[in-house]
Amino acid sequence: MSAELETIIGLEVHAQMNTKTKMFCSCDNDAFGKAPNTTVCPVCMGHPGTLPAPNGEAVKKAVIAALALKGTVNAQNHFDRKHYFYPDLPCGFQISQYDFPLASGGTVSFVVRDDSGQVVNEERCGITRLHMENDAGKLTHRGSKTLCDYNRAGTPLMEIVTEPDLRSPEEAVAFAQELRRILIAVGASDADMFKGMMRFDASISLREKGAKDLNPRSEIKNLNSFKALEKALKYEEKRLRKEWEKNGGPLPRDITVGWMDEEEKTKMLREKETADDYRYFPEPDIPPLTFTKEDIENIRKELPALPQERKKQYMDLGLDEALAVQLIDQPELRRIFDAVYKKTNDAKRSSGLVLTQLLGFLKAEEKEISDAPGVEAMVELAGKIGSGTISANAGKDVLEKMVQTGKTASQIIEEEGMQQISDDSAIETLVLKAMDSNPQAIESFKKGKEAALGAIVGWVMKESKGQANPAKVNEILRKQLEN
Ligand code: ZN
Ligand code: MN
């Protein structure tokens, strides 16, 4: 019988920082979609005689991220050269941080869910370190030719290394998703997976349950999506278990593998390189970075609410967990909700309008959140409902038309003549007419049947094609009955 094995996973996450310019030069950092080799300069192309100058905005964003991950920013840290040769690396080395990283330690709490979205358990993953470095360019292989695009070369990256605290592929993905939320929430990275702004290297090994020591690991390189992360880890976990059965133990030494997206399997690349292979040495062209306690505390003061805190705030307003998560995961939706809530001061109503109706109409029209009426348009609609210009029911129709046509609430209300009738004398006329037409209802009411009034209100609503303000109708009817 084979021993019971447990899976040990740790991640290295590369996240692109959303700065204006690159890490060590003033080239545009937003190269996505631009023609190859157009956002480059002698510095990021590694021309001899050029000098790198660290980007203050990038350093600040990295500090913010480190603080959000509950890490300690190291008062003294510096850049190092990490040498390797590859055509996408114009300098022949990467400027990174080796033995004195920007920040050490930290922890991330996260929630693991099953396929139906139910919370299975809550976990924590330790953070070993966070350091800054610059990205390499991009190679495109076409047949026997390889094309180099250096637009991405020099892009500021944060590398976040975790402790080997993750125990399953599902946990690794849940952690990575929470990390992404945090980086977005603090504005350090846009972490757009589609644009490759967040990439993972995942290390996985097995050991007998109860054992303390770690065994040699398999490192899966360059996973670009949560799906790839999960599939690759599941594949490698299974493969390592089979190997263990066959050899009666763990891998003899660390290995590096690649994930083949199409074939859905890992492929051996090489035995893992060690630090010696990179011939690290301190970057001589950049002075060490120093931070005072005050520097750090000033940045800490700017830290916005983290996703878990935000989730709690939404749940405290009365939203359920799933809706709260929807809001923290979709910044555009959150901006709309927050603005509508600010206007209405009513979480239930805001959630009905934004999370039920708006999302429902978008789905029906096969549209995205980015196609939704803007924050201002939604606030205007909420205002029209709040002020009684239209009823909540009519508001639903107006919103549907807003989504379909892109018109504003006032335009639609005007064009369709949907204003709610709140004018006292107009409603009084309708109420008197209703009372005349429903003498039995009045009789029943006088005999003590409260519910009989419903018939009269209903008659007024029908007569006014739903445009009478129901609260006003009730109020005026009561007054008439008291006379
Ligand atoms: Zn440049
Ligand atoms: Mn790296």
Side-chain angles (χ1 to χ4, degrees):
M1 204 196 94
S2 55
E4 207 187 330
L5 298 176
E6 78 174 332
T7 301
I8 311 287
I9 296 170
L11 298 181
E12 285 179 22
V13 184
H14 286 94
Q16 225 177 68
M17 289 188 263
N18 53 0
T19 52
K20 261 196 152 58
T21 55
K22 290 185 181 179
M23 189 72 223
F24 300 111
C25 63
S26 53
C27 287
D28 190 351
N29 185 32
D30 180 16
F32 193 82
K34 302 214 164 87
N37 299 310
T38 54
T39 59
V40 294
C41 75
V43 177
C44 55
M45 293 294 283
H47 288 194
T50 57
L51 281 176
N55 177 346
E57 190 194 7
V59 175
K60 189 175 169 190
K61 282 181 189 257
V63 170
I64 286 179
L67 295 176
L69 303 178
K70 304 187 173 67
T72 305
V73 174
N74 296 316
Q76 281 270 357
N77 62 89
H78 67 250
F79 288 99
D80 296 280
R81 290 186 180 181
K82 176 182 181 180
H83 297 82
Y84 63 97
F85 179 77
Y86 209 61
D88 64 2
L89 193 68
C91 299
F93 57 84
Q94 180 186 32
I95 304 180
S96 182
Q97 296 189 288
Y98 179 51
D99 42 4
F100 292 89
L102 179 78
S104 308
T107 175
V108 170
S109 311
F110 59 99
V111 166
V112 188
R113 290 163 201 282
D114 63 15
D115 288 340
S116 68
Q118 287 299 310
V119 175
V120 185
N121 55 353
E122 282 177 36
E123 296 289 346
R124 298 162 86 82
C125 179
I127 302 292
T128 313
R129 57 186 276 154
L130 181 152
H131 70 251
M132 298 175 284
E133 58 188 30
N134 56 0
D135 208 347
K138 229 179 205 167
L139 302 181
T140 308
H141 305 283
R142 287 215 186 122
S144 63
K145 285 191 185 124
T146 294
L147 306 172
C148 303
D149 175 10
Y150 292 109
N151 281 351
R152 201 181 66 183
T155 290
L157 297 178
M158 291 176 276
E159 180 174 330
I160 298 160
V161 182
T162 79
E163 294 291 302
D165 287 348
L166 303 160
R167 291 290 171 272
S168 68
E170 290 81 4
E171 267 186 43
V173 171
F175 161 81
Q177 287 172 332
E178 186 63 23
L179 177 64
R180 176 170 181 269
R181 282 186 198 112
I182 293 172
L183 298 181
I184 293 173
V186 300
S189 172
D190 292 339
D192 186 329
M193 309 296 296
F194 175 70
K195 294 181 182 172
M197 290 178 182
M198 197 174 179
R199 315 190 289 267
F200 313 100
D201 299 330
S203 284
I204 177 168
S205 63
L206 304 176
R207 71 179 172 197
E208 285 179 24
K209 258 212 167 119
K212 285 271 176 297
D213 291 339
L214 295 172
N215 287 318
R217 59 203 165 104
S218 166
E219 185 181 16
I220 315 166
K221 283 294 196 191
N222 239 333
L223 300 161
N224 293 327
S225 67
F226 295 121
K227 258 268 106 41
L229 177 65
E230 184 173 5
K231 279 187 177 172
L233 279 171
K234 280 187 168 161
Y235 178 90
E236 198 64 0
E237 183 182 44
K238 222 165 140 188
R239 194 182 73 81
L240 291 179
R241 276 171 189 267
K242 266 195 205 144
E243 290 270 306
W244 187 294
E245 297 261 320
K246 207 169 80 191
N247 306 327
L251 292 170
R253 66 190 72 82
D254 291 344
I255 58 168
T256 301
V257 301
W259 173 246
M260 308 292 115
D261 232 343
E262 312 243 296
E263 298 145 68
E264 300 206 343
K265 58 193 227 182
T266 57
K267 185 177 113 189
M268 177 78 176
L269 294 178
R270 54 185 178 261
E271 291 191 350
K272 196 171 160 41
E273 55 288 274
T274 64
D276 290 347
D277 297 330
Y278 290 125
R279 292 168 293 130
Y280 279 103
F281 68 75
E283 166 60 58
D285 289 338
I286 305 174
L289 300 174
T290 52
F291 297 96
T292 64
K293 268 210 172 88
E294 211 190 345
D295 294 335
I296 303 302
E297 290 318 307
N298 283 338
I299 296 178
R300 196 190 299 278
K301 277 185 212 138
E302 291 176 33
L303 263 189
L306 296 181
Q308 294 293 336
E309 296 161 27
R310 277 196 185 147
K311 186 173 95 177
K312 193 175 169 298
Q313 287 165 2
Y314 285 125
M315 290 174 74
D316 288 346
L317 291 180
L319 300 191
D320 65 31
E321 213 252 349
L323 291 180
V325 170
Q326 233 183 333
L327 286 177
I328 57 174
D329 276 352
Q330 300 184 67
E332 285 179 78
L333 193 63
R334 189 172 69 230
R335 272 193 288 278
I336 295 175
F337 178 89
D338 288 348
V340 169
Y341 175 69
K342 205 173 152 205
K343 177 88 186 171
T344 60
N345 207 18
D346 184 333
K348 220 172 154 192
R349 239 202 258 168
S350 310
S351 141
L353 194 63
V354 179
L355 297 171
T356 310
Q357 297 177 15
L358 176 61
L359 287 184
F361 292 138
L362 286 171
K363 199 171 166 205
E365 298 289 316
E366 294 182 1
K367 287 184 172 173
E368 305 290 328
I369 311 261
S370 51
D371 305 319
V375 171
E376 275 168 45
M378 289 301 294
V379 168
E380 191 205 9
L381 172 64
K384 295 277 180 206
I385 298 170
S387 66
T389 308
I390 50 171
S391 67
N393 246 331
K396 204 171 159 183
D397 297 335
V398 171
L399 179 55
E400 185 175 19
K401 292 202 173 81
M402 285 166 69
V403 171
Q404 286 168 345
T405 64
K407 288 180 182 168
T408 66
S410 356
Q411 279 174 315
I412 293 164
I413 293 166
E414 174 79 43
E415 283 171 19
E416 314 255 329
M418 291 172 93
Q419 285 94 336
Q420 181 162 263
I421 302 166
S422 294
D423 174 50
D424 282 13
S425 63
I427 290 181
E428 196 178 282
T429 313
L430 282 167
V431 166
L432 289 172
K433 243 171 125 183
M435 288 170 72
D436 275 348
S437 315
N438 295 277
Q440 326 86 296
I442 303 292
E443 276 307 303
S444 309
F445 175 75
K446 282 182 177 156
K447 281 179 194 153
K449 266 183 92 180
E450 272 284 317
L453 290 190
I456 300 189
V457 177
W459 193 93
V460 173
M461 295 309 292
K462 201 173 160 202
E463 188 73 9
S464 70
K465 298 192 181 69
Q467 283 171 260
N469 180 334
K472 274 266 155 84
V473 174
N474 264 301
E475 184 194 314
I476 289 167
L477 176 57
R478 295 267 171 193
K479 230 185 248 160
Q480 289 295 331
L481 290 168
E482 277 163 23
N483 290 338

